[in-house]
Amino acid sequence: MKKYVCVDIGGTAIKYGVIESDGQILCRDVTDTDAQNGGPAILNKVRDIVENFCAREKISGICISTAGIVDTVKGEITYSAPLIPDYTGIGYKRALEGRFGIPCEVENDVNCAGLAEFYTGASAGSQISLMLTVGTGIGGSLVMNGEVYRGFSGSACEVGYLSMGDSDFQTLGAASILTKKVAERKNEPQKDWDGYRIFEAAKGGDVICLNAIDEMTEVLGLGIANICYVINPQVVVLGGGIMAQKEFLKERIERAVSKHLMPEIFRNTKLAFAKHGNDAGMLGAFYHFRQRHRVE
Protein backbone atom coordinates (compact mmCIF):
# COMPACT_ATOMS: atom_id res chain seq x y z
CA MET A 1 0.00 0.00 0.00
CA LYS A 2 1.33 3.46 -0.91
CA LYS A 3 2.38 5.91 1.77
CA TYR A 4 2.08 9.70 1.91
CA VAL A 5 3.76 12.29 4.10
CA CYS A 6 1.10 14.64 5.46
CA VAL A 7 1.99 17.97 7.08
CA ASP A 8 -0.43 20.36 8.82
CA ILE A 9 1.10 23.83 9.28
CA GLY A 10 -0.52 26.07 11.87
CA GLY A 11 0.53 29.32 13.50
CA THR A 12 1.95 27.60 16.59
CA ALA A 13 2.51 23.94 15.68
CA ILE A 14 3.32 21.75 12.70
CA LYS A 15 1.63 18.35 12.94
CA TYR A 16 2.91 15.66 10.60
CA GLY A 17 2.87 11.95 9.90
CA VAL A 18 2.45 9.21 7.32
CA ILE A 19 -0.91 8.08 5.95
CA GLU A 20 -1.54 4.99 3.84
CA SER A 21 -3.65 5.12 0.68
CA ASP A 22 -6.64 3.72 2.62
CA GLY A 23 -6.56 6.74 4.97
CA GLN A 24 -4.98 4.98 7.95
CA ILE A 25 -2.57 7.14 9.95
CA LEU A 26 0.59 5.10 10.53
CA CYS A 27 2.44 7.61 12.70
CA ARG A 28 2.13 11.20 13.87
CA ASP A 29 4.31 13.80 15.56
CA VAL A 30 4.39 17.55 16.22
CA THR A 31 6.96 20.35 16.30
CA ASP A 32 6.83 24.08 16.94
CA THR A 33 6.14 26.26 13.91
CA ASP A 34 8.35 29.10 15.18
CA ALA A 35 6.24 31.38 13.01
CA GLN A 36 8.26 34.43 14.01
CA ASN A 37 11.16 33.08 11.92
CA GLY A 38 9.09 33.53 8.76
CA GLY A 39 7.92 31.55 5.76
CA PRO A 40 11.30 30.44 4.35
CA ALA A 41 12.24 28.90 7.71
CA ILE A 42 8.93 27.01 7.82
CA LEU A 43 9.55 25.70 4.30
CA ASN A 44 12.94 24.43 5.47
CA LYS A 45 11.28 22.67 8.43
CA VAL A 46 8.77 20.97 6.13
CA ARG A 47 11.56 19.98 3.74
CA ASP A 48 13.46 18.37 6.62
CA ILE A 49 10.34 16.48 7.77
CA VAL A 50 9.77 15.07 4.29
CA GLU A 51 13.44 14.23 3.83
CA ASN A 52 13.49 12.29 7.09
CA PHE A 53 10.58 10.09 5.98
CA CYS A 54 11.89 9.64 2.44
CA ALA A 55 15.22 8.44 3.81
CA ARG A 56 13.46 5.64 5.72
CA GLU A 57 10.78 4.39 3.33
CA LYS A 58 9.23 4.82 -0.09
CA ILE A 59 6.92 7.85 -0.12
CA SER A 60 4.47 8.35 -2.99
CA GLY A 61 3.37 11.91 -2.33
CA ILE A 62 3.44 14.97 -0.09
CA CYS A 63 0.19 16.39 1.30
CA ILE A 64 0.24 19.87 2.84
CA SER A 65 -2.41 21.59 4.95
CA THR A 66 -1.57 25.18 5.83
CA ALA A 67 -2.85 28.44 7.23
CA GLY A 68 -3.35 31.18 4.65
CA ILE A 69 -5.08 31.51 1.29
CA VAL A 70 -3.72 28.88 -1.10
CA ASP A 71 -3.50 28.63 -4.87
CA THR A 72 -4.14 24.90 -5.06
CA VAL A 73 -2.97 24.63 -8.67
CA LYS A 74 0.41 26.25 -8.03
CA GLY A 75 0.61 24.89 -4.46
CA GLU A 76 1.54 28.36 -3.26
CA ILE A 77 0.51 30.72 -0.45
CA THR A 78 -1.19 33.74 -2.03
CA TYR A 79 -2.03 35.56 1.21
CA SER A 80 -1.07 35.14 4.85
CA ALA A 81 -1.88 37.12 7.98
CA PRO A 82 1.03 38.88 9.75
CA LEU A 83 1.24 36.03 12.29
CA ILE A 84 3.63 34.31 9.84
CA PRO A 85 5.99 36.90 8.31
CA ASP A 86 7.09 36.46 4.68
CA TYR A 87 4.70 33.54 4.16
CA THR A 88 2.88 34.98 1.15
CA GLY A 89 4.51 33.59 -1.99
CA ILE A 90 5.95 30.45 -0.39
CA GLY A 91 5.67 27.75 -3.06
CA TYR A 92 5.57 24.34 -1.39
CA LYS A 93 4.68 22.41 -4.53
CA ARG A 94 7.50 23.82 -6.62
CA ALA A 95 10.10 23.49 -3.87
CA LEU A 96 9.19 20.00 -2.65
CA GLU A 97 8.53 18.40 -6.03
CA GLY A 98 11.83 19.84 -7.25
CA ARG A 99 13.66 18.40 -4.26
CA PHE A 100 12.07 14.95 -3.96
CA GLY A 101 10.67 14.18 -7.40
CA ILE A 102 7.26 13.10 -6.06
CA PRO A 103 3.94 14.95 -6.34
CA CYS A 104 2.97 17.53 -3.72
CA GLU A 105 -0.44 19.14 -3.20
CA VAL A 106 -1.31 22.04 -0.91
CA GLU A 107 -4.65 23.17 0.54
CA ASN A 108 -5.86 25.65 3.16
CA ASP A 109 -6.13 24.14 6.65
CA VAL A 110 -9.83 24.87 7.18
CA ASN A 111 -10.66 23.42 3.76
CA CYS A 112 -8.67 20.35 4.79
CA ALA A 113 -10.69 20.07 8.00
CA GLY A 114 -13.89 20.33 5.97
CA LEU A 115 -12.75 17.54 3.64
CA ALA A 116 -11.74 15.31 6.56
CA GLU A 117 -15.15 15.69 8.17
CA PHE A 118 -16.91 15.08 4.84
CA TYR A 119 -15.06 11.85 4.07
CA THR A 120 -14.89 10.20 7.48
CA GLY A 121 -16.30 12.60 10.05
CA ALA A 122 -19.32 14.56 11.22
CA SER A 123 -20.57 15.58 7.76
CA ALA A 124 -19.94 12.25 6.00
CA GLY A 125 -22.16 11.82 2.95
CA SER A 126 -23.69 15.30 3.10
CA GLN A 127 -24.50 17.28 -0.04
CA ILE A 128 -23.51 20.69 1.36
CA SER A 129 -21.55 21.14 4.57
CA LEU A 130 -20.14 24.19 6.30
CA MET A 131 -17.06 23.73 8.48
CA LEU A 132 -16.26 26.39 11.08
CA THR A 133 -13.07 26.30 13.13
CA VAL A 134 -13.22 28.48 16.23
CA GLY A 135 -9.85 29.32 17.72
CA THR A 136 -7.59 32.37 17.55
CA GLY A 137 -9.92 33.47 14.74
CA ILE A 138 -12.84 31.86 12.94
CA GLY A 139 -12.23 29.99 9.70
CA GLY A 140 -14.78 28.59 7.28
CA SER A 141 -14.96 25.97 4.56
CA LEU A 142 -17.80 24.98 2.24
CA VAL A 143 -17.82 21.43 0.83
CA MET A 144 -20.36 20.70 -1.91
CA ASN A 145 -20.77 17.10 -3.08
CA GLY A 146 -17.29 16.31 -1.82
CA GLU A 147 -15.57 19.29 -3.45
CA VAL A 148 -14.32 22.41 -1.70
CA TYR A 149 -16.00 25.52 -3.06
CA ARG A 150 -13.22 28.10 -3.40
CA GLY A 151 -14.95 30.97 -5.19
CA PHE A 152 -13.56 33.04 -8.05
CA SER A 153 -10.15 33.89 -6.57
CA GLY A 154 -9.84 31.19 -3.91
CA SER A 155 -11.10 33.18 -0.92
CA ALA A 156 -14.63 31.79 -0.55
CA CYS A 157 -15.88 31.26 3.01
CA GLU A 158 -13.50 33.69 4.73
CA VAL A 159 -16.30 34.02 7.23
CA GLY A 160 -14.21 35.41 10.07
CA TYR A 161 -14.31 38.79 8.35
CA LEU A 162 -18.11 38.99 8.19
CA SER A 163 -19.14 42.45 9.41
CA MET A 164 -21.01 42.60 12.69
CA GLY A 165 -21.83 46.17 13.70
CA ASP A 166 -18.55 48.03 14.10
CA SER A 167 -16.57 44.79 14.29
CA ASP A 168 -16.46 41.34 12.64
CA PHE A 169 -17.37 37.73 13.36
CA GLN A 170 -14.00 36.52 14.63
CA THR A 171 -13.18 39.66 16.61
CA LEU A 172 -16.38 39.10 18.57
CA GLY A 173 -16.76 35.31 18.59
CA ALA A 174 -13.35 33.60 18.52
CA ALA A 175 -12.10 31.50 21.43
CA SER A 176 -9.23 33.94 21.95
CA ILE A 177 -11.77 36.69 22.65
CA LEU A 178 -13.40 34.53 25.32
CA THR A 179 -10.16 34.27 27.32
CA LYS A 180 -9.46 37.98 26.85
CA LYS A 181 -12.91 38.94 28.16
CA VAL A 182 -12.72 36.74 31.22
CA ALA A 183 -9.23 37.94 32.17
CA GLU A 184 -10.21 41.59 31.78
CA ARG A 185 -13.40 41.22 33.81
CA LYS A 186 -11.51 39.44 36.58
CA ASN A 187 -8.66 41.95 36.35
CA GLU A 188 -6.15 39.12 35.96
CA PRO A 189 -3.42 38.37 33.37
CA GLN A 190 -4.77 36.72 30.21
CA LYS A 191 -2.05 34.07 30.41
CA ASP A 192 -3.72 32.78 33.60
CA TRP A 193 -6.89 31.87 31.70
CA ASP A 194 -7.44 29.33 28.97
CA GLY A 195 -10.55 27.67 27.57
CA TYR A 196 -10.30 24.66 29.88
CA ARG A 197 -10.13 26.78 33.05
CA ILE A 198 -12.99 28.99 31.86
CA PHE A 199 -15.31 26.05 31.22
CA GLU A 200 -14.41 24.34 34.48
CA ALA A 201 -15.19 27.57 36.33
CA ALA A 202 -18.45 27.98 34.41
CA LYS A 203 -19.51 24.44 35.32
CA GLY A 204 -18.90 25.42 38.93
CA GLY A 205 -21.23 28.40 38.62
CA ASP A 206 -18.74 31.22 37.96
CA VAL A 207 -20.98 34.05 36.72
CA ILE A 208 -18.27 35.94 34.82
CA CYS A 209 -17.27 32.81 32.88
CA LEU A 210 -20.90 31.83 32.23
CA ASN A 211 -21.74 35.29 30.90
CA ALA A 212 -18.68 35.35 28.64
CA ILE A 213 -19.54 31.92 27.21
CA ASP A 214 -23.14 32.99 26.62
CA GLU A 215 -21.92 36.12 24.80
CA MET A 216 -19.64 33.99 22.61
CA THR A 217 -22.39 31.50 21.74
CA GLU A 218 -24.76 34.35 20.91
CA VAL A 219 -22.22 35.71 18.40
CA LEU A 220 -21.63 32.23 16.98
CA GLY A 221 -25.38 31.72 16.61
CA LEU A 222 -25.82 35.00 14.76
CA GLY A 223 -22.86 34.32 12.46
CA ILE A 224 -23.95 30.77 11.69
CA ALA A 225 -27.51 31.93 10.96
CA ASN A 226 -26.32 34.64 8.58
CA ILE A 227 -24.14 32.16 6.68
CA CYS A 228 -27.00 29.65 6.52
CA TYR A 229 -29.26 32.24 4.90
CA VAL A 230 -26.75 32.46 2.02
CA ILE A 231 -25.60 28.87 1.47
CA ASN A 232 -28.30 26.71 3.13
CA PRO A 233 -25.96 23.92 4.33
CA GLN A 234 -27.21 20.48 5.25
CA VAL A 235 -24.67 20.24 8.10
CA VAL A 236 -22.73 22.86 10.06
CA VAL A 237 -19.63 21.27 11.64
CA LEU A 238 -17.96 23.08 14.53
CA GLY A 239 -14.26 22.48 15.16
CA GLY A 240 -11.36 23.97 17.07
CA GLY A 241 -10.07 23.12 20.54
CA ILE A 242 -12.91 24.86 22.35
CA MET A 243 -15.47 22.60 20.67
CA ALA A 244 -14.23 19.72 22.82
CA GLN A 245 -16.74 21.23 25.28
CA LYS A 246 -19.56 19.83 23.15
CA GLU A 247 -21.87 18.88 26.01
CA PHE A 248 -21.66 22.38 27.46
CA LEU A 249 -21.90 24.28 24.15
CA LYS A 250 -24.29 22.32 21.94
CA GLU A 251 -27.58 23.43 23.48
CA ARG A 252 -26.37 27.02 23.87
CA ILE A 253 -25.27 27.33 20.24
CA GLU A 254 -28.41 25.62 18.92
CA ARG A 255 -30.54 28.01 20.95
CA ALA A 256 -28.63 31.01 19.59
CA VAL A 257 -28.86 29.78 15.99
CA SER A 258 -32.60 29.13 16.30
CA LYS A 259 -33.08 32.66 17.62
CA HIS A 260 -31.65 34.17 14.42
CA LEU A 261 -32.66 31.61 11.79
CA MET A 262 -36.09 31.04 10.27
CA PRO A 263 -37.69 27.92 11.81
CA GLU A 264 -38.05 26.14 8.47
CA ILE A 265 -34.34 26.56 7.68
CA PHE A 266 -33.30 25.71 11.24
CA ARG A 267 -35.26 22.42 11.12
CA ASN A 268 -33.35 21.42 8.01
CA THR A 269 -29.89 22.36 9.27
CA LYS A 270 -27.94 19.87 11.38
CA LEU A 271 -25.41 21.19 13.90
CA ALA A 272 -22.54 18.77 14.49
CA PHE A 273 -19.17 18.76 16.21
CA ALA A 274 -15.95 17.77 14.45
CA LYS A 275 -14.70 14.23 15.03
CA HIS A 276 -11.11 14.31 13.82
CA GLY A 277 -9.58 16.82 16.24
CA ASN A 278 -5.84 17.32 15.74
CA ASP A 279 -5.74 14.84 12.84
CA ALA A 280 -8.15 16.85 10.67
CA GLY A 281 -5.47 18.83 8.84
CA MET A 282 -3.35 15.82 7.93
CA LEU A 283 -6.34 13.73 6.89
CA GLY A 284 -7.86 16.54 4.85
CA ALA A 285 -4.54 17.19 3.13
CA PHE A 286 -4.46 13.52 2.15
CA TYR A 287 -8.05 13.59 0.86
CA HIS A 288 -7.24 16.71 -1.17
CA PHE A 289 -4.21 14.93 -2.65
CA ARG A 290 -6.35 11.88 -3.36
CA GLN A 291 -8.89 13.96 -5.25
CA ARG A 292 -6.24 15.53 -7.46
CA HIS A 293 -4.41 12.28 -8.17
CA ARG A 294 -7.27 9.75 -8.04
CA VAL A 295 -5.52 7.68 -5.40
CA GLU A 296 -7.16 4.27 -4.95
Side-chain angles (χ1 to χ4, degrees), residues 148-214:
V148 172
Y149 178 75
R150 296 185 175 83
F152 173 69
S153 62
S155 62
C157 235
E158 288 287 342
V159 298
Y161 301 101
L162 284 172
S163 292
M164 287 189 171
D166 295 329
S167 189
D168 60 44
F169 191 18
Q170 61 190 2
T171 301
L172 297 174
S176 57
I177 307 306
L178 175 66
T179 57
K180 182 180 179 181
K181 275 186 179 180
V182 169
E184 286 179 349
R185 291 173 185 178
K186 288 182 173 289
N187 197 28
E188 296 177 9
Q190 189 172 348
K191 63 180 177 61
D192 291 349
W193 287 91
D194 58 18
Y196 179 80
R197 184 182 176 192
I198 290 170
F199 278 92
E200 288 303 298
K203 291 170 188 175
D206 187 301
V207 175
I208 288 177
C209 291
L210 280 167
N211 287 342
I213 290 169
D214 286 341

Side-chain angles (χ1 to χ4, degrees), residues 208-242:
I208 288 177
C209 291
L210 280 167
N211 287 342
I213 290 169
D214 286 341
E215 289 168 12
M216 180 190 72
T217 55
E218 172 66 17
V219 171
L220 291 175
L222 175 59
I224 291 167
N226 284 338
I227 299 166
C228 288
Y229 279 124
V230 178
I231 65 173
N232 187 207
Q234 181 179 354
V235 186
V236 177
V237 182
L238 299 172
I242 200 169

Side-chain angles (χ1 to χ4, degrees), residues 5 7 16 31 40-56 96 99-100:
V5 175
V7 184
Y16 60 93
T31 187
I42 295 172
L43 174 58
N44 286 336
K45 279 197 172 197
V46 174
R47 187 186 289 120
D48 289 345
I49 288 168
V50 176
E51 188 155 27
N52 183 49
F53 283 118
C54 286
R56 289 160 25 198
L96 297 176
R99 174 70 171 268
F100 300 105

Side-chain angles (χ1 to χ4, degrees), residues 41-117:
I42 295 172
L43 174 58
N44 286 336
K45 279 197 172 197
V46 174
R47 187 186 289 120
D48 289 345
I49 288 168
V50 176
E51 188 155 27
N52 183 49
F53 283 118
C54 286
R56 289 160 25 198
E57 54 192 320
K58 180 176 174 54
I59 298 297
S60 298
I62 304 162
C63 317
I64 305 286
S65 162
T66 178
I69 297 176
V70 176
D71 182 327
T72 57
V73 176
K74 293 182 179 179
E76 180 178 298
I77 310 299
T78 60
Y79 174 79
S80 173
L83 175 65
I84 307 179
D86 304 317
Y87 202 46
T88 300
I90 292 293
Y92 285 105
K93 184 177 178 70
R94 179 178 64 253
L96 297 176
E97 288 185 347
R99 174 70 171 268
F100 300 105
I102 55 178
C104 171
E105 301 297 342
V106 189
E107 177 59 287
N108 166 267
D109 53 359
V110 185
N111 287 342
C112 284
L115 283 173
E117 295 299 328

